[in-house]
Amino acid sequence: MNGALAWLKAQGLAIPEGAEAIETGIVVVLIVAALAIGLFTGRRLGPRAGELWTRHLGHHAEAFGGRVAAIVRHGVAAILLAILLASGTWPPLATALIGFFFGAAIARMTVEVLRGLGIPRWMAWPVAFILFAATLSYAVGGLAPIKAKLSGIGLPIGAKFFSFYALIVALLTIVCLFAGIRLANRLIGHAILRTTGFDPTQKLLTQKLAAIAVVIIAFFVGIDLLDIDLTTFAVFSGALGLAIGFGLQKTVGNLIAGIILLLDRSIKPGDVIVVGEKEVGWVNKIGVRAVSVLTRDGKEHLIPNEDLMTKAVENWSYTDRNVRVRVPVTVAYDCDLKLAQELMLRAAAESPRVLDDPKSNVWLTEFGENGVKHDVLVWINDPQSGVGNVRSDVLNRLWVLFKDHGIRTPYPQREVRIVGEQNDD
């Protein structure tokens, strides 16, 4: 016990006596009150604030909404402790206690904010620890000596000296900018989605351009905060140009092609296009590198943006979502052809996905080997729901109608003649 007291005295944190003991006791009570108010506020107002945040930001607040209560709790406690710290000159031990709990509240709030913005734990917790140490050091008046010590520890590289303090500042700046980019993208993305003057393609393009603008702004802000000379990027920019010229041609080409696709709206989310030669799918997402196309079989094709720019693409919904579907039907030669064609039109009209306008039609295409071939031409306006199921529905209805009216569908027939060998005898 005596050793501990001696260590506290050496640190200037000796056990207070008399008036200092009373002040220290008052500070302890105020610290407990601040923590209790923070806890009460977090429990009472936190869930409401979380619901409000989630309601206004929708899916952009999935991870953040559940952490609002904890952020409110620790944030309120940190504000009250900061006011307590600045409200007077307290005894050294009392000041250290305020600084400890103030730093702990700042650290916990920082972790909740960063984790809510998708920052991984291995980045969030070191930042929180640095802020805790800095807050505690500031409270006890020891931040300047620590800064001087850390500034003297480092590694000389060329003509410059990189100190440990500069590394910590760079780490904090990068993480804060990264979190700011995440938050700005969520807020801007939600604001763009709520606008009514843009169609889905324009909203997607605006989101991507806004995200690029946020990154550029954050880059220059980071350079200014870290006091980096832009001339140091001359060599880097040259190397980047060579990398783009030789190794990143496809990547940059796909990025630019994706922006062009969004600008001219030749391919947009929701469009129905033909993948490969026959498979039909609809555009699910236009990304930085590739376009995601989802087929009826549940297969997701990732097609490079550049391929959609340079190759012929069959887009079923470019200017009009109406698509004509051909349903081949063959009937026997000895049937009532006019009745059969009327039944084909009836089957098409009774199919729920077939449109009344444009009207369905029946074409006689060929006098085939086994029967009379027709094409039933029907129109649909929802090709993303599939085409084969429309053919199936029309043919199923037509099969019942043919059975009810005695219309036969032919099947292949072959006449085989056996010629015997002639006997010379």
Side-chain angles (χ1 to χ4, degrees):
M1 179 65 70
N2 293 331
L5 294 175
W7 182 84
L8 288 174
K9 290 181 179 180
Q11 302 299 320
L13 301 175
I15 299 298
E17 299 176 355
E20 289 189 355
I22 296 175
E23 291 183 0
T24 303
I26 293 174
V27 166
V28 171
V29 172
L30 292 176
I31 290 174
V32 173
L35 296 177
I37 293 173
L39 179 61
F40 176 79
T41 306
R43 288 183 175 179
R44 298 289 294 181
L45 300 181
R48 298 179 183 178
E51 292 176 2
L52 184 65
W53 180 276
T54 304
R55 187 185 311 121
H56 284 281
L57 288 185
H59 70 279
H60 293 281
E62 290 176 355
F64 201 87
R67 299 179 181 269
V68 173
I71 294 172
V72 171
R73 171 188 172 184
H74 299 299
V76 170
I79 292 173
L80 295 176
L81 291 172
I83 295 173
L84 178 62
L85 181 64
S87 61
T89 303
W90 305 105
L93 181 59
T95 303
L97 289 174
I98 297 174
F100 177 84
F101 288 101
F102 182 30
I106 291 291
R108 287 300 307 274
M109 184 181 67
T110 301
V111 170
E112 296 295 338
V113 171
L114 294 181
R115 292 292 296 142
L117 293 174
I119 307 299
R121 289 189 179 88
W122 64 270
M123 293 178 64
W125 280 104
V127 171
F129 176 77
I130 292 172
L131 292 178
F132 169 77
T135 304
L136 179 59
S137 299
Y138 172 77
V140 299
L143 185 58
I146 293 178
K147 177 181 177 181
K149 286 283 188 181
L150 295 177
S151 298
I153 302 173
L155 180 66
I157 299 178
K160 292 191 176 183
F161 180 79
F162 293 91
S163 65
F164 191 64
Y165 174 77
L167 179 62
I168 293 176
V169 172
L171 173 64
L172 289 176
T173 302
I174 292 172
V175 174
C176 291
L177 288 176
F178 189 47
I181 290 172
R182 288 283 184 91
L183 180 60
N185 284 337
R186 292 186 182 187
L187 295 176
I188 295 174
H190 180 70
I192 292 172
L193 287 177
R194 295 187 64 182
T195 57
T196 57
F198 293 161
D199 60 25
T201 303
Q202 292 172 331
K203 290 180 181 180
L204 181 59
L205 176 61
T206 306
Q207 282 181 328
K208 291 186 178 297
L209 294 178
I212 295 173
V214 168
V215 172
I216 293 175
I217 293 173
F219 175 75
F220 285 105
V221 169
I223 288 177
D224 184 64
L225 292 176
L226 297 176
D227 196 20
I228 299 176
D229 189 1
L230 287 177
T231 57
T232 58
F233 288 94
V235 177
F236 173 76
S237 60
L240 181 62
L242 288 176
I244 293 175
F246 290 100
L248 299 178
Q249 286 182 354
K250 292 293 184 182
T251 302
V252 176
N254 285 323
L255 172 62
I256 297 175
I259 295 176
I260 294 175
L261 287 175
L262 291 173
L263 283 173
D264 67 4
R265 302 172 64 189
S266 56
I267 300 291
K268 53 188 180 294
D271 279 354
V272 181
I273 65 175
V274 176
V275 181
E277 296 181 357
K278 296 182 179 180
E279 200 163 13
V280 178
W282 60 92
V283 178
N284 182 36
K285 177 183 177 183
I286 299 179
V288 175
R289 187 192 67 84
V291 173
S292 168
V293 180
L294 193 63
T295 66
R296 290 289 297 171
D297 296 332
K299 300 176 183 177
E300 192 165 5
H301 297 259
L302 298 177
I303 305 175
N305 295 331
E306 198 173 13
D307 289 351
L308 296 178
M309 284 288 299
T310 58
K311 297 180 180 179
V313 178
E314 186 176 340
N315 190 342
W316 287 9
S317 52
Y318 179 50
T319 57
D320 188 359
R321 299 192 69 84
N322 289 349
V323 175
R324 190 171 69 175
V325 181
R326 296 176 180 268
V327 184
V329 178
T330 303
V331 296
Y333 278 104
D334 57 354
C335 72
D336 187 342
L337 198 60
K338 184 177 180 180
L339 176 60
Q341 293 174 350
E342 290 176 355
L343 295 177
M344 295 177 196
L345 291 175
R346 178 179 168 184
E350 292 176 353
S351 183
R353 288 182 56 198
V354 174
L355 301 177
D356 295 331
D357 186 23
K359 294 182 178 180
S360 301
N361 199 2
V362 175
W363 286 359
L364 193 156
T365 58
E366 183 183 352
F367 294 112
E369 182 179 357
N370 302 304
V372 183
K373 296 183 178 180
H374 296 78
D375 273 346
V376 183
L377 307 178
V378 300
W379 290 87
I380 60 173
N381 61 358
D382 54 349
Q384 70 276 5
S385 299
V387 175
N389 49 9
V390 176
R391 292 194 184 98
S392 175
D393 184 70
V394 173
L395 290 175
N396 275 313
R397 295 175 185 274
L398 192 56
W399 175 263
V400 175
L401 291 174
F402 279 178
K403 288 291 186 182
D404 293 341
H405 293 81
I407 303 297
R408 293 191 305 108
T409 55
Y411 49 87
Q413 299 181 14
R414 296 290 184 269
E415 181 178 341
V416 180
R417 296 182 180 182
I418 301 175
V419 179
E421 294 183 0
Q422 295 181 355
N423 193 344
D424 294 337
D425 297 336

